[in-house]
Amino acid sequence: MKRAPLTLYLAAPRGFCAGVDRAIKIVELALQKWGAPVYVRHEIVHNKFVVDDLRAKGAVFVEELEDCPDDRPVIFSAHGVPKSVPAAAEARAMIAVDATCPLVTKVHNEAARHSADGLQMVMIGHEGHPETVGTMGQLPEGEVLLVETEADVAGLRVRDAGKLAFITQTTLSVDDTAGIVAALQARFPAIVGPHKEDICYATTNRQAAVKAIAPKIDALLVIGAPNSSNSKRLVEVGRAAGCAYAQLVQRAVDIDWRALEGIRAVGITAGASAPEVLVNEVIDAFAARYETVVELVETAQENVEFKVPKVLREV
Ligand code: 10G
Ligand code: SF4
């Protein structure tokens, strides 16, 4: 039977960012240096495929530092940790390696600097997300007020409207965040902030690529995990840009082929924690069912690279 034609628009940039690349490398190098098991507090990045692969190599994933023995190395995930976590590791004389992305650390430092200047912090982020928990945990409890939506801004009760600064999670929707920042600035004209927000280059670029393919496609598939914030934002950005069918899939097996019946053009992207093998798996699954043509839609080139911590550089 003749297969239907289908164009796959492949977003670029997509997939691993420099912070994810570095974090995975840190776990691999730690395993080489110290042997298994190496403990990792929280999923090193939010992707089951990545986690399973590292687990098979000897990494043990736990949610809390208390679940790690004193005598094995522990790695903190790319999302960052509250200050209390490295402090507790130090108190137990553990070997701890911080895989927090340097761009998240930059936000931690911003918060600390503003607080030292006597400003109260407002964080734009998602409650309970490990990055938000880690960033808010740079300052004493209650020092950082969290807002998730524009509506939350109206309900903020601040110490002194003239002494405020804001920071953001790095993986937010650029457009939604702009709205929240505008609401903050409207209510607190003196609020201090970063130039625009703290959303990182990788998040910004992946969202821009989705916006560029949205007008060309009938459906968008975002390869990423259900707990991956930046991947979920890509789905939302796709929908907001006019793509009515935008879905998160972890791998090819998750594709709902029935929902795609009759389509002619599909957009494919991947969250910052999704490995390229899974993108290829999805492309192959389409190629097995359709007469596919792949077109790359490149809206930016990335050449960011982060060094691993000193302790692992000689490995
Ligand atoms: O998008 P989130 O923050 O949920 O994380 P991820 O592991 O899916 O992707 C990499 C992004 C980070 C490590 C947060 S800066
Ligand atoms: Fe770093 Fe951005 Fe990647 Fe987060 S999404 S790990 S901030 S580069």
Side-chain angles (χ1 to χ4, degrees):
M1 202 178 77
K2 200 168 173 294
R3 291 182 301 174
L6 179 76
T7 306
L8 294 175
Y9 289 98
L10 193 54
R14 64 175 177 282
F16 280 10
C17 60
V20 164
D21 227 26
R22 171 180 181 268
I24 295 170
K25 216 175 278 165
I26 287 174
V27 180
E28 285 172 341
L29 290 173
L31 284 163
Q32 278 177 42
K33 185 175 169 97
W34 291 296
V38 160
Y39 284 72
V40 184
R41 185 189 175 281
H42 193 68
E43 289 190 344
I44 187 74
V45 298
H46 291 148
N47 190 275
K48 183 174 157 24
F49 186 91
V50 170
V51 168
D52 286 348
D53 180 60
L54 292 172
R55 191 181 283 121
K57 293 176 179 164
V60 177
F61 290 88
V62 296
E63 275 313 304
E64 298 300 336
L65 193 70
E66 293 88 80
D67 303 326
C68 305
D70 292 348
D71 60 353
R72 292 307 304 165
V74 62
I75 296 167
F76 306 139
S77 84
H79 316 90
V81 287
K83 253 201 155 116
S84 55
V85 174
E90 201 183 328
R92 288 168 60 190
M94 297 170 79
I95 296 175
V97 184
D98 191 358
T100 303
C101 176
L103 299 180
V104 174
T105 304
K106 189 177 130 231
V107 183
H108 290 183
N109 295 339
E110 247 170 76
R113 202 182 58 240
H114 287 316
S115 178
D117 289 344
L119 304 181
Q120 189 179 17
M121 300 304 306
V122 177
M123 174 159 192
I124 307 173
H126 295 289
E127 190 170 14
H129 185 281
E131 183 185 339
T132 297
V133 172
T135 301
M136 292 177 74
Q138 298 307 304
L139 297 179
E141 181 125 25
E143 265 312 292
V144 187
L145 305 170
L146 181 68
V147 293
E148 297 189 272
T149 61
E150 280 183 47
D152 288 348
V153 173
L156 273 178
R157 289 172 60 174
V158 304
R159 240 184 346 241
D160 178 347
K163 287 189 171 178
L164 282 178
F166 76 88
I167 46 173
T168 79
Q169 205 175 314
T170 56
T171 53
L172 302 177
S173 148
V174 171
D175 295 335
D176 292 353
T177 306
I180 303 174
V181 169
L184 280 171
Q185 288 168 334
R187 184 161 172 217
F188 308 110
I191 196 165
V192 174
H195 176 54
K196 274 170 85 183
E197 8 70 0
D198 297 305
I199 297 172
C200 75
Y201 80 94
T203 300
T204 308
N205 289 347
R206 278 151 195 68
Q207 290 178 13
V210 163
K211 284 184 193 169
I213 50 175
K216 303 173 188 286
I217 55 179
D218 309 312
L220 174 72
L221 296 185
V222 177
I223 297 151
N227 59 337
S228 169
S229 184
N230 79 87
S231 306
K232 289 192 286 190
R233 300 296 83 78
L234 292 175
V235 173
E236 292 167 5
V237 167
R239 285 186 191 142
C243 183
Y245 186 87
Q247 289 295 323
L248 193 64
V249 292
Q250 302 209 60
R251 342 185 26 147
V253 51
D254 300 326
I255 300 171
D256 181 353
W257 296 106
R258 277 229 194 119
L260 296 178
E261 259 168 36
I263 47 133
R264 287 278 173 274
V266 173
I268 296 178
T269 188
S273 45
E276 189 66 7
V277 279
L278 301 182
V279 175
N280 290 329
E281 184 184 276
V282 166
I283 293 173
D284 290 347
F286 275 101
R289 287 169 177 80
Y290 294 88
E291 203 55 52
T292 53
V293 176
V294 178
E295 279 199 29
L296 190 72
V297 180
E298 187 172 62
T299 49
Q301 289 194 345
E302 293 178 345
N303 52 10
V304 182
E305 224 179 292
F306 296 128
K307 280 188 190 157
V308 297
K310 252 202 197 113
V311 64
L312 294 172
R313 269 182 223 159
E314 305 301 311
V315 181

